[in-house]
Amino acid sequence: MIRYFIILICLLLALPVVAEDIVFIHTIGSDASVWDNVTQPFQSSFTTWVWEIPGHGKTAAVGNLTIDSAVELFGKFLEENNIDYPVIVGHGMGGLIAMQHAFANPTTVDRLVLIDAAPRQMAQKEQKIAVTKQLTTNYDRFVAGYFLNMSPIDEITDIIVDQALRTDQMSFTQLLLSSFDFDITAELPRQAIPILLVGSNLLFPDSDQALEQLHMLGFGTARTVSFKTMPGTGHFVMLEQPNYLASVILAFAIGH
């Protein structure tokens, strides 16, 4: 009897840990509300969380907001809420935060979903100079223009431009500038976290060339990445096709 009990314990210990939590992170200039129509299908399978970047939406700004400091604050959020082994979904800048956290803490993250996010940014020196100038001398016009062509749907464009202009200016500026030199591609060959990349038409303008695009974006050395293209969608796929996006994420999150 004792022998069978020991065997049972060993089998239980060998079972994989299953995520009970899923955490969503929005992009720069956005806020937590973009996930409102996405999270409902997850309620029966996960405890669902949405983390809002400081200076965005209803969350107070903090001093010196960078990707590094955002990752630190996100880690504290997980710790304070006893979120031990989540699936993390990151959109745009939220994807950079999710990647950096996950790669620094690989044994504490079950799966990673990236929406229009890449492990390295490709801004050239001239682009960095031009953007910095616009942020400091022509902020409102630059931010509005930055988000103006991110959705083919006028109503959604109005929402995302309004959210961006309501974002704390210093938070937006510091976070965007800190992303210029983001490059975490060296970590990819060492990572075993399953990654799903969901790409809008902006990320994958030609779905037939998706594999070539993956390499160009920096995913060439990733061992565990799969991808899903969403032709015809803009950057804010969670607002344009929330139900379909939720079904894609849910299938991956539960391991199907």
Side-chain angles (χ1 to χ4, degrees):
M1 189 70 177
I2 294 177
R3 178 170 174 265
Y4 289 119
F5 179 75
I6 293 173
I7 291 174
L8 178 60
I9 293 297
C10 291
L11 289 173
L12 290 173
L13 290 175
L15 289 174
V17 179
V18 178
E20 296 179 351
D21 300 277
I22 186 165
V23 187
F24 294 83
I25 313 175
H26 62 86
T27 192
I28 188 172
S30 183
D31 64 45
S33 69
V34 296
W35 302 111
D36 286 353
N37 293 325
V38 175
T39 56
Q40 183 60 38
F42 297 87
Q43 304 295 329
S44 61
S45 302
F46 296 90
T47 301
T48 304
W49 308 83
V50 178
W51 185 69
E52 193 167 70
I53 299 171
H56 293 65
K58 299 178 181 179
T59 303
V62 297
N64 192 30
L65 181 67
T66 63
I67 291 177
D68 288 342
S69 65
V71 169
E72 183 177 352
L73 291 169
F74 178 65
K76 290 180 180 178
F77 167 80
L78 297 180
E79 182 179 354
E80 290 169 358
N81 289 283
N82 298 312
I83 305 172
D84 297 323
Y85 192 64
V87 175
I88 304 178
V89 181
H91 173 224
M93 188 72 72
L96 307 192
I97 295 169
M99 267 186 284
Q100 185 155 312
H101 169 81
F103 292 175
N105 306 276
T107 62
T108 68
V109 175
D110 180 34
R111 291 168 181 261
L112 193 58
V113 179
L114 307 174
I115 303 172
D116 275 8
R120 69 177 175 217
Q121 302 304 290
M122 298 180 288
Q124 302 298 316
K125 181 179 179 180
E126 295 76 13
Q127 293 174 308
K128 295 177 183 179
I129 293 172
V131 169
T132 301
K133 181 178 179 180
Q134 290 296 313
L135 286 169
T136 54
T137 63
N138 197 22
Y139 177 82
D140 287 346
R141 185 181 294 273
F142 170 78
V143 170
Y146 185 83
F147 288 91
L148 197 57
N149 297 309
M150 288 192 175
S151 175
I153 302 172
D154 291 342
E155 293 83 356
I156 291 177
T157 297
D158 291 342
I159 292 171
I160 61 180
V161 169
D162 181 66
Q163 287 180 346
L165 291 174
R166 291 175 184 274
T167 300
D168 176 67
Q169 179 174 342
M170 186 60 70
S171 300
F172 185 100
T173 300
Q174 291 176 331
L175 189 57
L176 182 60
L177 293 180
S178 76
S179 73
F180 284 167
D181 298 315
F182 184 86
D183 188 346
I184 204 165
T185 53
E187 288 293 322
L188 286 172
R190 297 192 284 267
Q191 295 299 326
I193 302 170
I195 300 172
L196 171 66
L197 173 64
V198 179
S200 72
N201 195 68
L202 293 178
L203 196 69
F204 292 112
D206 184 352
S207 57
D208 292 334
Q209 302 294 321
L211 288 176
E212 291 83 351
Q213 185 71 4
L214 275 177
H215 282 266
M216 190 178 77
L217 292 169
F219 286 101
T221 60
R223 298 185 297 156
T224 58
V225 65
S226 55
F227 67 92
K228 173 67 178 177
T229 62
M230 296 186 69
T233 59
H235 184 52
F236 283 78
V237 294
M238 68 289 299
L239 295 177
E240 294 176 27
Q241 296 191 25
N243 294 331
Y244 182 57
L245 177 64
S247 68
V248 169
I249 297 173
L250 184 58
F252 177 76
I254 61 179
H256 291 177

